[in-house]
Amino acid sequence: MIDQTKSIVILTGAGISAESGIDTFRDAGGLWEQHKVEDVATPEGFARDPDLVLGFYDMRRAALEQVEPNAAHRALARLEREFDGDLLLITQNVDDLHERGGSGQVLHMHGELKSALCLSCEMRSPWNAPMIDRPQCPICQAPSLRPDVVWFGEMPYQMERIYTALSGCDLFVSIGTSGAVYPAAGFVQEARASGARTLELNLEPSEGSHHFTQSRHGPASVLVPQWVDQTLD
Ligand code: OAD
């Protein structure tokens, strides 16, 4: 069955980076228990208290220096190198662990910590420094940078490309995501509607677990390398 697979779409979430030491959002002690979503992850929160928001993302960006990709990130990079078909890796994560694990093509639908979006010229720049001191945009020099991350109430990136891939894939795999946030939570139904098989790899059944043809539960660092081995066999 696996041999027939010609096109795979993979969606990853915070669970794939958990074993690297990055907090997830909704697990016990997760980021949304420590911070209010409406304060640090909405355009309104940014307008109200930009220092709080810039400081929150500066802290998360700096924390990336303390973590390393794990076996799950590296297994997906191996899949990219060795799978003889189409592969689209979509992540909701704003960390850079897929890239550091060796993946060359990663679609960051919720943006990236290491990217800056200028509110003045609307251009993006690679960024790996604090923003709280209002640095200048490398392109237009305006001191108007914000984190290039998608906040609640904003449209995730590259949705057209994602839906096109979902409608043409024959396998959709969701890894380490709670299925609590749309539109990503709806990808499984979109893929199924187009006839794809669907597989969930998660520590526990996610909110949308029942939508998947198959679910495997356990840590990503174990399940993902196992699945990649099977797929490439
Ligand atoms: P969540 O924190 O909502 O869910 C993380 C999922 O990973 C849970 O289902 C956990 O059971 C699972 N998990 C935890 N540790 C794991 C491990 N070692 N191996 C496998 N699975 C594990 O994070 P996301 O689903 O990524 O959006 O959250 C989606 C979006 O909500 C985020 O991108 C972010 C957040 O608000 C924005 O900020 C726009």
Side-chain angles (χ1 to χ4, degrees), residues 65-120:
E65 305 304 319
Q66 314 301 322
V67 298
E68 296 293 336
N70 65 53
H73 298 103
R74 288 193 296 272
L76 294 184
R78 177 175 165 234
L79 185 69
E80 180 187 86
R81 283 192 304 274
E82 299 182 17
F83 176 62
D84 185 22
D86 292 332
L87 179 73
L88 178 63
L89 174 58
I90 306 165
T91 188
Q92 298 165 89
N93 299 343
V94 292
D95 66 51
D96 60 349
L97 292 182
H98 281 304
E99 286 85 350
R100 284 160 57 197
S103 288
Q105 302 289 325
V106 188
L107 193 166
H108 283 270
M109 63 175 290
H110 289 166
E112 297 176 71
L113 285 169
K114 289 193 176 173
S115 175
L117 175 62
C118 179
L119 292 168
S120 186

Side-chain angles (χ1 to χ4, degrees), residues 18-97:
E19 290 164 85
S20 293
I22 299 183
D23 286 339
T24 63
F25 295 94
R26 295 176 183 79
D27 292 308
L31 272 180
W32 294 156
E33 268 184 18
Q34 303 167 42
H35 305 269
K36 281 192 176 161
V37 177
E38 55 273 29
D39 287 345
V40 296
T42 62
E44 295 77 17
F46 184 54
R48 216 166 31 238
D49 192 345
D51 278 0
L52 177 79
V53 176
L54 294 174
F56 174 71
Y57 292 94
D58 283 354
M59 173 197 76
R60 292 179 63 197
R61 191 182 309 103
L64 293 183
E65 305 304 319
Q66 314 301 322
V67 298
E68 296 293 336
N70 65 53
H73 298 103
R74 288 193 296 272
L76 294 184
R78 177 175 165 234
L79 185 69
E80 180 187 86
R81 283 192 304 274
E82 299 182 17
F83 176 62
D84 185 22
D86 292 332
L87 179 73
L88 178 63
L89 174 58
I90 306 165
T91 188
Q92 298 165 89
N93 299 343
V94 292
D95 66 51
D96 60 349
L97 292 182

Side-chain angles (χ1 to χ4, degrees), residues 12-20 22-27 30-32 37 41 57 60 70 72 91-94 109-110 149-154 156 175-182 184 200-207 217-224:
T12 66
I16 198 169
S17 297
E19 290 164 85
S20 293
I22 299 183
D23 286 339
T24 63
F25 295 94
R26 295 176 183 79
D27 292 308
L31 272 180
W32 294 156
V37 177
Y57 292 94
R60 292 179 63 197
N70 65 53
T91 188
Q92 298 165 89
N93 299 343
V94 292
M109 63 175 290
H110 289 166
V149 298
V150 174
W151 287 327
F152 286 91
E154 297 179 328
I175 303 172
T177 177
S178 60
V181 175
Y182 283 82
E200 169 173 83
L201 305 176
N202 205 56
L203 193 58
E204 60 198 3
S206 70
E207 287 184 25
H217 300 131
S221 67
V222 175
L223 293 186
V224 179

